[in-house]
Amino acid sequence: MTKLEQIKRSIAALSPKELKAFAKWFEEFQADMWDMQIEADAKAGRLDKLAEQALAEVRAGRTRPQ
């Protein structure tokens, strides 16, 4: 049995209360992983082009305040 299969079986065996707690934890875990990926991408310069494009739009007056 693979790790994934073991995890799936374990999750399926949770009580409703445990499942709710797991879902909350997993959502926070995914958000943290996303934040780490964005930070890594920013440090590596992978977002520089997008940031410059956004700033160019602002400088050209093609944006409006919300």
Side-chain angles (χ1 to χ4, degrees), residues 11-22:
I11 292 170
L14 295 175
S15 70
K17 183 178 179 179
E18 291 171 321
L19 184 58
K20 184 176 180 179
F22 170 76

Side-chain angles (χ1 to χ4, degrees), residues 3-50:
K3 275 187 176 183
L4 181 57
E5 290 168 336
Q6 290 174 342
I7 292 167
K8 286 179 178 181
R9 286 184 184 197
S10 294
I11 292 170
L14 295 175
S15 70
K17 183 178 179 179
E18 291 171 321
L19 184 58
K20 184 176 180 179
F22 170 76
K24 182 178 185 285
W25 170 83
F26 191 68
E27 184 177 334
E28 291 169 0
F29 175 78
Q30 285 183 302
D32 290 343
M33 296 301 294
W34 174 259
D35 290 345
M36 289 189 315
Q37 183 63 55
I38 292 293
E39 186 176 323
D41 287 347
K43 285 181 181 178
R46 290 189 279 273
L47 303 176
D48 293 352
K49 184 178 177 182
L50 293 173

